[in-house]
Amino acid sequence: MTQATKNRLNRVRSILVSQPKPSDKRSPYFQLTEKYKIKIDFRPFIEVQPVSIKDFRKQKIEILKHTAVIFTSRNAIDHFFGICQELKIEMPADMKYFCISEQTAHYLQKYIVIRKRKLFVGTRTAADLFDFFKKHKSEKYLFPCSDIRKDDIPEFLSKNNIDFTEAIIYHTVAADLSDLKDIKYDILAFYSPSGIKSLFQNFPDFEQGKTRIAAFGPTTAQAVKDMNLIMDIEAPLPNAPSMTGALELYIKKANKI
């Protein structure tokens, strides 16, 4: 923690998380609320809009000409299988699936019966999949994604001359946050550069003041810096691999617990 952020170490009473409210009652966020008696609200700063079948067809992508699909999020899974349903495409039993995390792989079971030999799972980041891609260089990969996505997977596949097709299946747009105009929180927690972008699209004159900013991941942290904001809380950390862990460490210091 820099001297500048130490000087901003004021008591935390409220946090706004720029994501949907967790459905799991055991979420660490609810534990933070109970343990430290602070208010935590949830509000998605971005919205996902599906690509129409007409626009998907314009990409001239033949799904069944691929032998493997890469999934990096639940949104990608939902919209991909939504397109398959509209096009009356049934995924073949020998299709291979490469999922960025266990959570993503588990969610995939909503749509298909998973055979372990067809499933390759990373632990958390795209880089976790790179060794799998190297071992399966002969596959023809389909990468369903948003119009706003990280470059790491396409760059790696291109660099290693691995055959892949990028399919834009949904758009990421700023949510309407106008009702938050006069509401203040001690901490705003962001998980993606899109969330930072949405903040300024909704509030072009946003001034940080005493509001602390929490950012998850290097690309989100960079977006905070690019907008000349002070990043008070960074995650993941060696001693706090999650956003909630980083927030808890900060709350303990700020609230002198």
Side-chain angles (χ1 to χ4, degrees):
M1 188 177 291
T2 65
Q3 188 59 47
T5 52
K6 282 182 181 178
N7 293 338
R8 295 163 49 77
L9 202 62
N10 301 314
R11 185 174 182 83
V12 176
R13 296 181 176 85
S14 62
I15 300 173
L16 179 62
V17 180
S18 59
Q19 284 197 328
K21 186 175 181 179
S23 56
D24 187 348
K25 293 181 180 179
R26 297 169 296 178
S27 167
Y29 276 113
F30 299 141
Q31 293 172 20
L32 283 181
T33 299
E34 185 66 28
K35 188 174 181 179
Y36 298 104
K37 308 301 178 187
I38 58 176
K39 176 186 177 184
I40 301 182
D41 290 336
F42 301 88
R43 180 65 177 275
F45 275 39
I46 57 175
E47 292 178 351
V48 170
Q49 297 177 350
V51 165
S52 68
I53 288 297
K54 180 181 178 182
D55 287 339
F56 179 76
R57 283 189 169 126
K58 287 179 182 178
Q59 298 179 61
K60 297 181 179 178
I61 294 170
E62 295 189 45
I63 291 174
L64 295 180
K65 282 197 172 181
H66 298 81
T67 61
V69 187
I70 303 167
F71 288 121
T72 57
S73 70
R74 293 184 178 188
N75 279 325
I77 292 173
D78 283 334
H79 292 293
F80 174 75
F81 283 99
I83 285 173
C84 288
Q85 185 177 19
E86 285 200 59
L87 294 176
K88 295 182 171 58
I89 291 174
E90 188 172 336
M91 301 302 285
D94 60 350
M95 182 68 76
K96 294 183 176 70
Y97 300 94
F98 293 75
C99 296
I100 197 168
S101 67
E102 288 283 355
Q103 293 92 331
T104 307
H106 181 74
Y107 191 73
L108 183 57
Q109 296 179 74
K110 179 179 177 181
Y111 294 96
I112 62 167
V113 176
I114 292 176
R115 293 171 175 79
K116 288 187 178 180
R117 62 189 177 87
K118 305 296 183 187
L119 186 66
F120 305 89
V121 184
T123 55
R124 188 171 57 84
T125 68
D128 298 328
L129 294 176
F130 291 172
D131 283 341
F132 290 130
F133 295 153
K134 284 182 179 178
K135 291 175 184 176
H136 299 270
K137 288 190 74 169
S138 62
E139 302 295 340
K140 292 185 176 181
Y141 291 91
L142 182 63
F143 179 33
C145 59
S146 166
D147 56 330
I148 299 175
R149 53 101 178 114
K150 295 180 181 178
D151 296 330
D152 40 14
I153 288 177
E155 283 184 353
F156 179 85
L157 295 173
S158 296
K159 184 179 178 181
N160 289 274
N161 297 314
I162 297 173
D163 190 349
F164 80 100
T165 305
E166 186 175 319
I168 306 299
I169 57 169
Y170 63 97
H171 298 295
T172 304
V173 299
D176 181 3
L177 306 175
S178 54
D179 57 306
L180 295 177
K181 184 177 181 181
D182 299 317
I183 301 175
K184 304 294 182 183
Y185 289 89
D186 294 321
I187 296 175
L188 299 180
F190 293 96
Y191 280 83
S192 71
S194 299
I196 303 292
K197 183 179 179 181
S198 174
L199 173 68
F200 282 92
Q201 283 185 334
N202 277 275
F203 310 112
D205 300 322
F206 174 77
E207 293 183 7
Q208 184 173 358
K210 294 182 179 180
T211 301
R212 271 63 55 83
I213 300 289
F216 188 87
T219 56
T220 309
Q222 187 59 51
V224 171
K225 295 171 185 175
D226 289 345
M227 297 307 296
N228 296 315
L229 298 173
I230 298 170
M231 183 173 60
D232 302 273
I233 305 157
E234 185 174 4
L237 298 169
N239 56 341
S242 65
M243 174 67 90
T244 49
L247 286 170
E248 183 168 18
L249 288 178
Y250 186 87
I251 291 166
K252 284 180 179 179
K253 290 178 182 177
N255 294 10
K256 298 179 180 177
I257 295 172

